[in-house]
Amino acid sequence: MISDTLKADSLEWRSQTMQSDTLCIIPPGKRKIWDRDATHGPASARDAYTGTLNRKARAYAEASGYDWVILSAKHGFLMPADTLPGNYDTAFGTTNAGIISSDELARQWEEKDLHTYSRVEVLGGKKFRPIIGALAGTAAVYFPLENSRGIGDMLHLLDAWTVRMLKTDDN
C-alpha cells in the first residue's frame, strides 16, 4: 500500500503539473542515492534514483516538455516530488514478494490522474508493456526504446533525442 507521504506528495505534484498531454513513464533503475550514502534520509523520487538510464530518460522528458513519472516495482507510479523513505531492491520480472500489485497500480493510475493523458511514452524495456497496456485505456502508447539492442543503445538514443529537443527549443 502506498504511504500517506507518497499520497500527499502526489496530490501536491498533480496540482502543479499536467503541463503536457504526453506522459513519459521512466524506469527507476537499480542505483539510488542510498547506495552512495547509506545514512541519507528520505528523498524525493526526482533525487532518489541516480542511475544513468533514469537520469537520461528524465532529461529527455523534460527537454520535450513532457510530464513524467517513475514506475517503481515497490512503490508504483512515483511523481517527481513523492518522498521515498529509503533504499529497496525490488524489480519487475522477478519473484520478489515486495512487488506492487496490479490492483494497486490501477488505483494509482486513476488517483494520480495518469488516465487523463492522451499520449504515453514508456522509456523502459519490454517488461513494462503488459503493465501499461492494461492501464492506458484510449491513450496512444509508445515504447520507443523497445527494439533497442541493449542499455548502451537506449542511452545513445535518449541522448540524441534530448539534444534534438534542446536544439529545437533554441531555434
Side-chain angles (χ1 to χ4, degrees):
M1 193 69 137
I2 194 164
S3 74
D4 288 339
T5 302
L6 289 176
K7 284 181 186 175
D9 292 342
S10 294
L11 293 173
E12 178 183 327
W13 178 88
R14 188 172 28 174
S15 69
Q16 296 172 4
T17 60
M18 302 289 287
Q19 304 297 316
S20 171
D21 66 343
T22 299
L23 175 69
C24 279
I25 297 176
I26 297 173
K30 186 170 176 65
R31 286 196 331 225
K32 298 170 195 72
I33 198 165
W34 301 280
D35 296 326
R36 287 192 313 237
D37 178 7
T39 65
H40 194 289
S44 69
R46 175 185 293 282
D47 297 330
Y49 299 99
T50 60
T52 305
L53 180 59
N54 178 275
R55 287 185 294 109
K56 289 182 183 276
R58 272 194 345 236
Y60 162 73
E62 290 171 357
S64 301
Y66 299 154
D67 295 337
W68 59 270
V69 296
I70 295 169
L71 178 51
S72 160
K74 180 175 179 75
H75 300 290
F77 295 104
L78 295 169
M79 307 305 193
D82 286 346
T83 301
L84 278 75
N87 208 358
Y88 68 93
D89 187 15
T90 304
F92 289 113
T94 66
T95 57
N96 188 309
I99 294 176
I100 193 166
S101 72
S102 56
D103 287 344
E104 178 63 13
L105 285 173
R107 188 188 65 71
Q108 289 179 9
W109 186 261
E110 293 296 318
E111 183 178 275
K112 296 183 178 192
D113 285 339
L114 304 179
H115 67 283
T116 63
Y117 289 90
S118 61
R119 186 171 188 278
V120 177
E121 278 195 28
V122 183
L123 301 176
K126 294 177 178 131
K127 60 187 167 187
F128 286 173
R129 183 175 279 283
I131 297 166
I132 303 306
L135 299 172
T138 60
V141 181
Y142 301 92
F143 293 81
L145 299 174
E146 186 175 52
N147 294 318
S148 299
R149 296 180 301 267
I151 189 71
D153 193 31
M154 288 180 177
L155 297 175
H156 174 76
L157 286 168
L158 287 167
D159 279 342
W161 297 339
T162 301
V163 167
R164 183 173 52 216
M165 295 311 298
L166 292 174
K167 283 183 179 177
T168 301
D169 285 347
D170 289 344
N171 293 330

